[in-house]
């Protein structure tokens, strides 16, 4: 099967938009929810992926060999407040995708570090999941839907993904990005930002994630992978990025205490490093 026939769902989003641009030389097809301003490429198709018939039409037409499945209902808060919609847009869409996936096809799916509750100080891919929030429970259920259908998957559990403040992709041009990106943009314009000093996470630069995804195309080391930097707190991450970018942050990044749950969430990324030799910064 030719792994070059690539379909990207969520191609108008933060990560999917970045990957669509990076993989232009593969001529990918991108599915977007609505073709809004900034999303003008002949390879975009508009679809509500909750509609199983529409998903079938798309798969019958494009017969993708590699599917990057990013379309999802994000934000833990939004999921908690809209549980039915959250279930439909996470599990429902994922079920529609796998129902139409051919037996030879390869699927690549981003899950989350939130499948863990922070009680294990260094969870690896075999560690027991303990989601605290509906969003994470649904992402884990999506992992299970994929695993039930096929062995040809790369599931990546991701921490917070960020850019370097500047628009680098379709998605950031259309207003998507992380807390870190918004903080860098605010600091660049001289504003103060308050940042949690006591909340520790792994982090992931979008460019490094997109590289990992490109490495996965045609790769047969299928399985679940944790992807992220060593754990650090938000304050230290932001200060280090500002130093790297030459952004003046002295007295402008205000450290505060947060009550995020869990306070510390690590990811053991040895498997990714051992198999692919990828070091994340
Ligand atoms: N960003 C992170 O830090 C992070 C961390 C861990 C995991 N992830 C996972 O990575 C994936 C991409 O995240 P992201 O940050 O790129 O999010 P995003 O910018 O919100 O992208 C998600 C995309 O899904 C699309 N979508 C939602 N409902 C749809 C539907 N019914 N039909 C078709 N498309 C639909 C959205 O379309 P619209 O643009 O039109 O709304 C959006 O473009 C998600 O699965 C997320 O759970 C992200």
């Amino acid at each position: 099967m030719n792994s070059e026939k690539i379909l990207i769902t969520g191609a108008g989003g933060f990560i999917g938009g970045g990957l669509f641009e990076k993989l232009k030389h593969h001529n990918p097809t991108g599915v977007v929810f609505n073709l809004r301003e900034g999303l003008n490429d002949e390879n975009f198709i508009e679809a509500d992926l909750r509609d199983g018939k529409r998903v079938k039409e798309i798969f019958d037409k494009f017969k993708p060999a590699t599917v990057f499945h990013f379309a999802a209902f994000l934000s833990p808060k939004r999921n908690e407040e809209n549980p039915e919609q959250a279930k439909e847009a996470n599990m429902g869409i994922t079920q529609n995708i796998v129902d139409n996936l051919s037996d030879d096809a390869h699927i690549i799916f981003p899950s989350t570090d939130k499948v863990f509750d922070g009680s294990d100080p260094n969870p690896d891919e075999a560690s027991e999941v303990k989601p605290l929030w509906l969003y994470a429970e649904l992402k884990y259920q999506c992992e299970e839907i994929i695993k039930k259908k096929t062995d040809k998957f790369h599931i990546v559990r991701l921490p917070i993904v960020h850019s370097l403040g500047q628009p680098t992709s379709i998605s950031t041009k259309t207003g998507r990005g992380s807390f870190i990106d918004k903080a860098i943009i605010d600091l660049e314009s001289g504003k103060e930002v308050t940042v949690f000093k006591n909340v520790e996470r792994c982090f992931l630069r979008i460019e490094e994630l997109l590289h990992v995804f490109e490495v996965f195309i045609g790769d047969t080391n299928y399985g679940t992978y944790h992807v992220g930097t060593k754990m650090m707190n938000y304050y230290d991450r932001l200060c280090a990025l500002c130093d790297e970018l030459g952004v003046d942050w002295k007295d402008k990044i205000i450290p505060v205490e947060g009550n995020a749950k869990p306070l510390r969430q690590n990811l053991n990324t040895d498997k990714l490093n051992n198999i692919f030799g990828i070091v994340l910064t």
Side-chain angles (χ1 to χ4, degrees), residues 63-223:
K63 300 186 171 48
T66 304
V67 176
F68 286 94
H69 172 36
F70 300 126
F73 198 74
L74 263 80
S75 144
K77 187 167 180 277
R78 201 170 155 219
N79 276 255
E80 295 297 327
E81 288 171 358
N82 307 281
E84 285 311 312
Q85 268 177 281
K87 199 171 170 195
E88 197 186 4
N90 285 302
M91 290 173 67
I93 291 181
T94 302
Q95 189 67 58
N96 286 342
I97 299 289
V98 304
D99 285 348
N100 289 283
L101 205 61
S102 78
D103 289 345
D104 290 347
H106 173 200
I107 182 164
I108 298 157
F109 174 75
S111 183
T112 172
D113 60 352
K114 295 181 175 60
V115 296
F116 300 113
D117 66 355
S119 58
D120 183 334
N122 193 21
D124 67 15
E125 291 79 357
S127 300
E128 188 189 349
V129 302
K130 291 179 183 168
L132 288 173
W133 310 107
L134 179 65
Y135 167 68
E137 172 63 32
L138 295 175
K139 293 300 284 187
Y140 180 66
Q141 292 303 328
C142 291
E143 293 185 15
E144 292 294 299
I145 288 171
I146 290 167
K147 287 195 237 170
K148 212 167 144 190
K149 162 76 180 190
T150 180
D151 294 334
K152 297 186 181 67
F153 64 82
H154 287 79
I155 290 170
V156 289
R157 297 199 182 127
L158 310 176
I160 176 172
V161 180
H162 65 79
S163 183
L164 295 173
Q166 299 302 321
T168 52
S169 69
I170 291 168
S171 47
T172 39
K173 279 179 210 151
T174 55
R176 299 294 166 91
S178 71
F179 166 79
I180 295 276
D181 297 313
K182 291 181 183 94
I184 292 172
I185 290 167
D186 282 350
L187 290 160
E188 282 172 334
S189 64
K191 291 183 192 155
E192 283 184 356
V193 297
T194 53
V195 182
F196 293 156
K197 176 95 185 173
N198 63 329
V199 177
E200 294 178 68
R201 296 285 182 268
C202 302
F203 292 85
L204 183 55
R205 294 171 197 247
I206 189 163
E207 290 308 328
E208 294 185 345
L209 173 61
L210 300 183
H211 170 69
V212 170
F213 283 145
E214 191 165 24
V215 167
F216 285 167
I217 297 171
D219 177 72
T220 55
N221 292 293
Y222 302 120

Side-chain angles (χ1 to χ4, degrees), residues 2-8 11 19-31 41-45 62-66 68 214 217:
N2 177 5
S3 59
E4 294 259 326
K5 291 184 78 177
I6 294 172
L7 185 92
I8 302 174
L19 190 69
F20 184 85
E21 283 199 341
K22 185 175 176 73
L23 299 185
K24 272 284 179 66
H25 56 291
H26 287 273
N27 204 27
T29 298
V31 183
D41 188 289
E42 60 187 22
N43 284 0
F44 279 141
I45 47 174
F62 294 100
K63 300 186 171 48
T66 304
F68 286 94
E214 191 165 24
I217 297 171

